[in-house]
Amino acid sequence: MSTDRYNPRDAEPRWQRYWTENRCFEAKEDLSRPKYYVLEMFPYPSGRIHMGHVRNYTMGDVIARFRRACGYNVLHPMGWDAFGMPAENAAIERGVHPKTWTYENIAAMRGQLQSMGLALDWSREIATCDPAYYRHEQEMFIDFMAAGLVERKVSTVNWDPVDNTVLANEQVIDGCGWRSGALVEKRELAQWFLKITNYSEELLTALDGLELWPEKVRLMQRNWIGRSEGMRFSFALEKADGTLLDERLMVYTTRHDTIFGASFCAISVDHDLARRMAGKDPALTAFRKEVASLGTSEESIERAEKKGCALGIFARHPFRPDLRLPVYAANFVLMGYGEGAIFGCPAHDQRDLDFARRYGLPVIPVVAPNTVNAGGIKVEDEAYHEKDGDQTILINSDFLDGMSVPEAKDEVARRMETMGIGERKINYRLRDWGVSRQRYWGCPIPVIHCNACGTVPVPKDQLPVILPDDVSFDKPGNPLEHHPTWKNVNCPVCERTARRETDTFDTFIDSSWYYARFCSPKASVPVDKLAANYWMPVDQYIGGVEHAILHLLYSRFFSRAMTRTGYLDLKEPFDSLFTQGMVIHETFKLDSGEWVFPADAVLLNGNWAHAKTGEPLTIGGVEKMSKSKRNVIDPEVIIERYGADTARWFMLSDTPPERDIEWTESGVEGSWRFTQRIWRLVNEAAIATADARSVGSDYGSIELRRTVHRALQAVTDDLSNLRFNRSIARIYEVANALGSALQQKASPALAAPAIREAAEIMVLLFAPMMPHLAEECWKVLGHESAVVETPWPKADPALLAEDEVTIAVQVNGKRRDEIRVAKGLSREQIEAIVLKLDAVNRALDGRAPKKVVVVVDRIANIVG
RNA sequence: GCGGGCGUGGCGGAAUGGUAGACGCAACGGACUUAAAAUCCGUUUUUCGCAAGGAAGUGCGGGUUCGAGUCCCGCCGCCCGCACCA
């Protein structure tokens, strides 16, 4: 590299040191200044950063630096989502202790993030595996218990019978354990739950207020919460001989209007009634086993036929004493929703129809378009649903005949309520949050099990419950189970021998409140309220859309639970949310199907081939970077070769931030060339204007100034709205204009102040994206202070106003010419000018203009 | 099945209902150079034409409007989320 080139290897570490030594990005509460809290979803310390991190953290960094320059007191922290299974896997596979592995990874990744030149407040760094962090989680859990937000109940887990361990859903592959390959069983264990369903309605309605969240995410959460308005009511049950049973069958429905179309009832195989009856009924026992073995994967559900097992009992129709409905245990009824029991109305529900056809049950249409005669509609293989635009009425339904669906629902509800057999009920799909994990590398659940006192929370003065280091991974399962001393404790209440809870928290708990901890990361309480009240909510949160539901919903719940228990004073933790797209890259394959590194692909005579073996290659899709597809580009290699600024610039260029961005070698080369071009331009500008440091009265080159100030205005607006790609296009325009001005050597003396101004504004504009280069350029332009301490420039309104405008001239909507006129020229004057234009008369071809539409300063359209 | 989004040059993408293709990438031509790299200048939607100048053009078909990539209706295609939720 020659000396006239910009050398990021020298400049970048130098400025990183400068920012650190001057503590430029350490945030302090300051009530006199407006705050801005920008946060990117914190990383899992896997060991190395990937391009997704580079994109995510670059965006956040641009926002942080931009807001800072605009005068905000900016909080931009970083931490580590440090608990989780990969650390345990490393322990099992390589014998490294999870803690060692995690902290080594953190150290490596911290270095990589620092090499990106991020404007982070490292003094606030937190790691969720640090007892100084998770002790507060334990304390809050104990308070949540007291507030009735915690429940302990039996729940099903995936059990690997060979490894004797619980598996997470993602460790179950095709129904088998990922490590042992053994068929996974369902086991029931007592587990801890956070009562997120207490907030179902609140979490749903508050979505409407999150106007700065993507509509898509709000919708996904709405669907996830899954509110439905219906009825819960019960049927009287009888035996085959007609004798009444002394229990009733409770069902849930949203279509009580179709009650006269009911032809059977179905209950889940896990329904209490099915369990009890199985004891006396071998066929039912066999059926329950069959259903349990089918698994719950989407695929198996898709393929499974609707099947049932008749129980030999019957439900009496509430309004037709003569009618009795056979009751089945059925594979398509879920225990987890509603009452785990339904009535089937085959004419208007596809599943019920499939079931009815299989078992020869009646199909009675009860809703039909009102254009159809009273005879009704025919249902063959497809259940009838109201289509858009259909007006429907009830038929074959006794006292409901002729009513609309809402009227019928209302009438049925009213009658059932009067009869005392049911009530209107709102149901949610949302389930309580199971937080127990039978894992070592997580936050210990601060509870002790005592035979006499039951489950007892660990007294707060004994917190934290520290995860012991001396564990062994020799045996399968949770090492805490085999730890001799940690597990055995005395009951804090009665002091008799008791057992410590060996489950740890779901790591989603760790990430449900870290944003609040960043406000006061060293406080002796979970959050210092003064600090939290100043910084919260997060003004701009950025992360991948893969967290659209779980992490974001849990966080919304947690901030409410923390407010309820007095730790916070807010509801919504994230004011504005941005979900960025993935980084994708081309893929190559051998004929054998084996993936090949793109770096090994070469073009030989127009065909792709392997650079080393010469084997022919086919181009795969452009896909998310992944190790298995071998299309990963290592950010460290890129930063080493081009510097962080080039990588950052590339990440922000061209593609809108919410879309997937394709990593291309040529694109990075382009960014690299641009950094060099900036460096040359700024140096040339500095030389050309060396004698004109102070801006004189004669700015000269008004066009250059106009371009620069308009770009400044546009970039300010675009950065405020996260439109990085558009900002970059405007900065290119400034660079092009500056380049042209420098070329016109005839009048540099006159243009010097304008050139200097252009160079300075350009540097400040790209500074949030390429901070190191900006600092170097700023020095070249003769500044003593750093860019990070320089306020964002302000556009001169006089230069934004135009005195002349271009008006497009159309004839019948087709553009024929354009004219330059004084801004604000009147309708009449414009009309007079355009009617004389040659192009207009040619296009009119002798016809007289019927009408002339003029939009002042914009367009004239002659209708002829 | 339900819900949502998107279709613009060779590519990534710009366009408050008002000159479609800003800006970048790639390609091509030229300058500089012994040469290459780097750099600089230019061309680049398609099509007819030597040119001046036409014609067509934002997935397809209609509509609203003086004017539609943008709004409305109906198709086609691609992508994403949820899914036996009663």
Side-chain angles (χ1 to χ4, degrees):
Chain A
M1 243 180 244
S2 64
T3 48
D4 58 346
R5 302 199 95 198
Y6 173 64
N7 181 4
R9 280 185 217 180
D10 161 58
E12 291 187 349
R14 191 149 37 75
W15 284 105
Q16 285 158 17
R17 254 193 323 276
Y18 175 90
W19 296 324
T20 306
E21 281 165 10
N22 291 279
R23 304 178 166 211
C24 290
F25 308 121
E26 289 187 18
K28 286 186 187 66
E29 291 79 60
D30 178 355
L31 291 166
S32 70
R33 289 167 65 203
K35 65 95 183 179
Y36 198 89
Y37 184 0
V38 54
L39 183 68
E40 303 93 61
M41 290 179 186
F42 68 163
Y44 177 79
S46 57
R48 302 186 71 77
I49 61 168
H50 53 67
M51 281 297 175
H53 291 128
V54 174
R55 194 178 193 201
N56 193 188
Y57 299 131
T58 298
M59 287 181 196
D61 201 52
V62 172
I63 295 165
R65 287 177 181 270
F66 170 65
R67 292 285 172 178
R68 191 168 180 280
C70 289
Y72 287 92
N73 188 23
V74 169
L75 174 59
H76 186 212
M78 181 55 72
W80 310 96
D81 189 13
F83 274 135
M85 283 193 328
E88 282 185 63
N89 296 340
I92 294 163
E93 282 161 12
R94 284 180 272 151
V96 203
H97 193 280
K99 188 176 185 175
T100 314
W101 185 84
T102 301
Y103 277 101
E104 281 174 5
N105 287 349
I106 287 174
M109 287 176 76
R110 188 192 298 116
Q112 290 187 311
L113 289 181
Q114 283 167 341
S115 77
M116 283 180 64
L118 301 171
L120 289 166
D121 181 353
W122 284 105
S123 75
R124 290 177 187 251
E125 180 181 2
I126 53 180
T128 58
C129 63
D130 182 348
Y133 179 82
Y134 68 68
R135 67 171 298 156
H136 303 293
E137 209 164 288
Q138 295 172 335
E139 183 181 346
M140 287 191 288
F141 182 78
I142 289 165
D143 286 340
F144 288 2
M145 285 175 91
L149 292 169
V150 176
E151 197 179 23
R152 186 166 167 80
K153 60 185 177 192
V154 170
S155 166
T156 316
V157 294
N158 303 307
W159 181 260
D160 184 322
V162 171
D163 277 355
N164 269 325
T165 185
V166 171
L167 298 177
N169 282 331
E170 55 268 29
Q171 293 175 319
V172 181
I173 298 152
D174 288 330
C176 298
W178 66 316
R179 213 184 285 277
S180 70
L183 204 61
V184 168
E185 297 168 4
K186 298 278 171 206
R187 273 223 182 165
E188 307 216 303
L189 292 180
Q191 305 197 60
W192 293 99
F193 286 81
L194 286 180
K195 300 207 55 131
I196 189 170
T197 57
N198 284 11
Y199 292 87
S200 298
E201 186 63 31
E202 155 78 13
L203 288 167
L204 181 71
T205 53
L207 285 171
D208 295 335
L210 295 175
E211 284 161 18
L212 299 178
W213 280 39
E215 187 51 39
K216 179 186 165 147
V217 173
R218 292 198 279 170
L219 207 83
M220 283 164 75
Q221 292 213 352
R222 242 174 238 133
N223 292 339
W224 188 261
I225 294 168
R227 182 183 195 271
S228 63
E229 286 180 26
M231 268 214 91
R232 180 176 173 270
F233 72 94
S234 63
F235 288 95
L237 292 175
E238 63 180 45
K239 290 191 206 160
D241 62 10
T243 51
L244 201 61
L245 289 166
D246 56 6
E247 69 179 297
R248 296 176 67 90
L249 179 66
M250 188 65 84
V251 298
Y252 180 75
T253 180
T254 55
R255 293 302 305 274
H256 33 296
D257 55 306
T258 65
I259 185 71
F260 287 96
S263 55
F264 66 95
C265 283
I267 64 174
S268 163
V269 292
D270 295 321
H271 194 280
D272 188 47
L273 186 60
R275 285 167 190 257
R276 278 182 283 128
M277 291 185 71
K280 292 169 260 168
D281 185 345
L284 179 58
T285 307
F287 181 69
R288 293 187 66 219
K289 259 214 178 110
E290 184 193 330
V291 175
S293 70
L294 246 174
T296 50
S297 78
E298 281 174 34
E299 229 189 329
S300 61
I301 287 166
E302 190 86 34
R303 271 188 276 117
E305 280 184 89
K306 308 287 170 278
K307 273 192 191 169
C309 177
L311 299 179
I313 56 171
F314 297 84
R316 285 187 185 165
H317 193 283
F319 301 120
R320 284 181 60 187
D322 56 308
L323 194 65
R324 53 184 215 168
L325 314 172
V327 179
Y328 293 81
N331 62 350
F332 64 94
V333 181
L334 305 173
M335 194 55 226
Y337 187 77
E339 301 297 322
I342 59 158
F343 75 79
C345 177
H348 304 291
D349 183 293
Q350 194 58 46
R351 288 161 305 168
D352 295 350
L353 183 61
D354 295 346
F355 190 81
R357 292 293 184 222
R358 186 180 178 110
Y359 294 101
L361 297 160
V363 177
I364 312 157
V366 289
V367 178
N370 63 0
T371 50
V372 173
N373 293 333
I377 50 167
K378 275 222 173 80
V379 172
E380 303 286 351
D381 299 330
E382 219 170 292
Y384 172 77
H385 292 282
E386 183 179 317
K387 293 180 194 85
D388 270 354
D390 279 6
Q391 292 285 327
T392 54
I393 53 164
L394 273 285
I395 57 169
N396 300 332
S397 293
D398 200 326
F399 56 82
L400 300 175
D401 281 348
M403 288 187 187
S404 70
V405 167
E407 283 166 351
K409 279 186 180 170
D410 208 51
E411 180 62 22
V412 170
R414 213 179 48 74
R415 289 195 185 220
M416 284 185 172
E417 278 161 358
T418 309
M419 290 159 77
I421 59 168
E423 75 229 340
R424 287 170 233 241
K425 173 116 203 286
I426 290 163
N427 252 343
Y428 299 90
R429 212 188 68 112
L430 185 66
R431 302 269 74 95
D432 275 329
W433 175 14
V435 295
S436 297
R437 295 292 179 270
Q438 295 73 33
R439 300 263 147 218
Y440 164 72
W441 192 234
C443 169
I445 299 178
V447 167
I448 287 160
H449 298 282
C450 169
N451 287 336
C453 310
T455 53
V456 180
V458 173
K460 284 195 181 180
D461 59 13
Q462 290 174 27
L463 294 181
V465 177
I466 294 180
L467 196 62
D469 288 338
D470 53 336
V471 287
S472 140
F473 291 89
D474 298 344
K475 287 184 234 169
N478 182 352
L480 295 176
E481 291 278 2
H482 324 127
H483 194 285
T485 54
W486 187 81
K487 190 178 160 186
N488 302 314
V489 286
N490 291 333
C491 172
V493 177
C494 68
E495 298 195 340
R496 271 179 282 200
T497 55
R499 185 177 60 83
R500 194 185 286 287
E501 171 71 68
T502 53
D503 285 355
T504 52
F505 280 137
D506 178 5
T507 56
F508 272 114
I509 290 194
D510 310 334
S511 55
S512 289
W513 71 286
Y514 77 106
Y515 50 86
R517 183 66 184 167
F518 274 138
C519 298
S520 52
K522 298 185 174 67
S524 58
V525 290
V527 281
D528 175 328
K529 257 196 170 180
L530 269 173
N533 284 341
Y534 176 70
W535 292 115
M536 290 299 292
V538 174
D539 293 275
Q540 184 64 62
Y541 197 36
I542 313 172
V545 74
E546 66 274 18
H547 294 111
I549 299 176
L550 294 183
H551 163 60
L552 290 167
L553 193 61
Y554 291 151
S555 295
R556 294 181 62 223
F557 159 69
F558 225 85
S559 61
R560 282 168 170 78
M562 286 171 74
T563 295
R564 163 94 179 271
T565 46
Y567 288 107
L568 285 177
D569 288 322
L570 89 156
K571 286 188 172 167
E572 292 298 338
F574 311 122
D575 188 42
S576 177
L577 172 71
F578 189 85
T579 51
Q580 104 261 12
M582 297 182 300
V583 183
I584 55 178
H585 190 36
E586 61 188 345
T587 56
F588 291 93
K589 253 185 191 177
L590 290 173
D591 290 339
S592 64
E594 193 188 330
W595 300 94
V596 173
F597 294 108
D600 289 338
V602 286
L603 204 52
L604 284 177
N605 311 321
N607 295 311
W608 287 99
H610 195 289
K612 286 164 197 152
T613 65
E615 287 174 86
L617 294 177
T618 49
I619 304 175
V622 180
E623 306 203 45
K624 182 181 180 178
M625 286 187 180
S626 73
K627 271 186 196 151
S628 63
K629 290 186 178 142
R630 296 196 158 178
N631 63 340
V632 172
I633 301 290
D634 185 349
E636 195 170 290
V637 173
I638 297 300
I639 291 170
E640 172 65 23
R641 188 180 306 160
Y642 300 101
D645 285 338
T646 293
R648 293 166 59 119
W649 187 255
F650 173 78
M651 278 300 179
L652 300 163
S653 304
D654 299 344
T655 304
E658 68 278 9
R659 286 193 215 170
D660 290 351
I661 188 172
E662 185 184 350
W663 180 270
T664 60
E665 185 70 21
S666 59
V668 183
E669 287 287 345
S671 296
W672 166 250
R673 280 199 301 273
F674 185 66
T675 59
Q676 295 300 337
R677 183 160 160 241
I678 288 284
W679 181 244
R680 278 194 306 276
L681 284 174
V682 169
N683 277 283
E684 281 178 44
I687 292 162
T689 64
D691 301 325
R693 289 251 168 111
S694 59
V695 169
S697 57
D698 183 5
Y699 259 56
S701 301
I702 196 78
E703 278 315 312
L704 175 61
R705 296 202 66 214
R706 283 223 169 95
T707 304
V708 169
H709 281 258
R710 268 184 221 134
L712 165 56
Q713 180 78 3
V715 171
T716 307
D717 185 52
D718 285 336
L719 286 185
S720 307
N721 293 292
L722 278 58
R723 293 188 293 244
F724 308 113
N725 56 319
R726 294 213 316 196
S727 306
I728 282 182
R730 300 313 290 251
I731 292 168
Y732 271 109
E733 285 177 9
V734 174
N736 291 344
L738 178 59
S740 301
L742 286 166
Q743 288 276 312
Q744 288 156 16
K745 297 196 169 90
S747 60
L750 191 65
I755 286 173
R756 167 155 292 268
E757 185 196 45
E760 295 200 338
I761 290 179
M762 181 179 75
V763 169
L764 295 175
L765 288 183
F766 72 69
M769 291 102 147
M770 298 194 286
H772 314 86
L773 178 62
E775 295 288 6
E776 287 289 288
C777 289
W778 202 237
K779 248 172 72 179
V780 168
L781 290 168
H783 292 278
E784 298 288 329
S785 63
V787 172
V788 279
E789 301 306 344
T790 307
W792 193 251
K794 282 198 175 51
D796 181 347
L799 288 164
L800 298 177
E802 298 174 272
D803 42 20
E804 225 184 27
V805 291
T806 305
I807 291 184
V809 182
Q810 299 180 333
V811 176
N812 292 329
K814 270 193 204 316
R815 183 186 155 299
R816 294 294 170 182
D817 206 348
E818 61 182 39
I819 52 171
R820 289 286 290 174
V821 297
K823 188 176 160 73
L825 193 70
S826 78
R827 207 168 283 271
E828 292 74 20
Q829 285 169 298
I830 291 171
E831 184 171 331
I833 294 167
V834 298
L835 285 175
K836 284 186 202 131
L837 292 171
D838 287 346
V840 169
N841 289 314
R842 212 183 310 130
L844 279 171
D845 197 22
R847 281 162 300 166
K850 287 190 198 122
K851 187 176 168 189
V852 181
V853 180
V854 177
V855 180
V856 170
D857 294 344
R858 280 213 171 265
I859 203 159
N861 188 13
I862 298 116
V863 187

